[in-house]
Amino acid sequence: MDVVNNPLFKTLDPYVNDLIEYMRLNDDGTSKYDIELYPHSVEDTRLDKLKEMKYYPDHDSLINLGEAAGDKNVYCCTLDWRLGQLDNAEVLNEYINDLLKTTGKSKVNLMGVSFGGQVVASYLALYGGAKVNNVVLHCPALDGSTIVSELLKGDVTVKW
């Protein structure tokens, strides 16, 4: 059955569209609305800076890493989950390059949680591990996330 004729879909459709409207993407993957969801620069995404901003993505993981390694040694590459893992792997590559320049290090340790795990895996598949010392994937979403950007662009028709 086509989802449009599904009674549940008909009931929820206006509410879901209102809820996700501000998250919609243009065809080129840019945000339809002028919104900035996350801090991005290496300087702004060091854990001590994130704490100052009261911004804690993957809160427990970051806090535990900060306790183990020190807040000034933990960085968080923020990702726009509306994009697919390949686009975000490119973002991660640029972030790693900036991080290595900023810190003077030659390698990073990566931890990816959920979708971040998929991005780390995609990064490794695309760019290799030459700049990576260790990798931890915590509950990685290793399949199916590309549908998120397709749904937000309106490229997917769901049929039951």
Side-chain angles (χ1 to χ4, degrees):
M1 173 169 81
D2 189 335
V3 73
V4 175
N5 294 318
N6 182 298
L8 180 61
F9 179 84
K10 285 181 180 181
T11 303
L12 295 178
D13 183 52
Y15 303 106
V16 171
N17 280 323
D18 286 347
L19 181 67
I20 67 169
E21 179 59 32
Y22 76 95
M23 296 184 283
R24 293 223 186 264
L25 299 173
N26 296 315
D27 290 339
D28 66 358
T30 59
S31 191
K32 184 175 178 181
Y33 301 99
D34 188 21
I35 59 172
E36 187 62 39
L37 300 176
Y38 316 106
H40 293 290
S41 72
V42 168
E43 294 80 15
D44 288 340
T45 56
R46 195 174 68 192
L47 183 55
D48 61 328
K49 300 292 184 180
L50 292 174
K51 283 182 173 181
E52 288 174 16
M53 290 185 269
K54 299 191 183 332
Y55 179 81
Y56 302 104
D58 300 321
H59 180 269
D60 292 339
S61 300
L62 279 179
I63 298 304
N64 291 337
L65 281 173
E67 288 173 2
D71 289 353
K72 291 185 177 185
N73 297 312
V74 176
Y75 293 80
C76 179
C77 177
T78 54
L79 303 171
D80 188 340
W81 55 266
R82 299 171 300 171
L83 303 175
Q85 71 274 9
L86 298 178
D87 290 328
N88 276 305
E90 182 179 344
V91 169
L92 179 58
N93 182 54
E94 292 170 14
Y95 184 85
I96 289 171
N97 290 337
D98 290 346
L99 180 62
L100 294 175
K101 274 190 237 171
T102 299
T103 62
K105 303 290 183 185
S106 61
K107 292 189 175 202
V108 297
N109 295 312
L110 297 175
M111 183 180 84
V113 178
S114 189
F115 177 68
Q118 185 178 33
V119 172
V120 169
S122 296
Y123 165 83
L124 292 170
L126 292 171
Y127 299 98
K131 300 173 190 171
V132 178
N133 190 39
N134 293 298
V135 173
V136 174
L137 302 180
H138 181 68
C139 302
L142 293 177
D143 191 23
S145 70
T146 56
I147 196 168
V148 172
S149 64
E150 293 167 355
L151 284 169
L152 292 171
K153 288 180 186 175
D155 294 340
V156 174
T157 302
V158 179
K159 294 190 178 199
W160 295 86

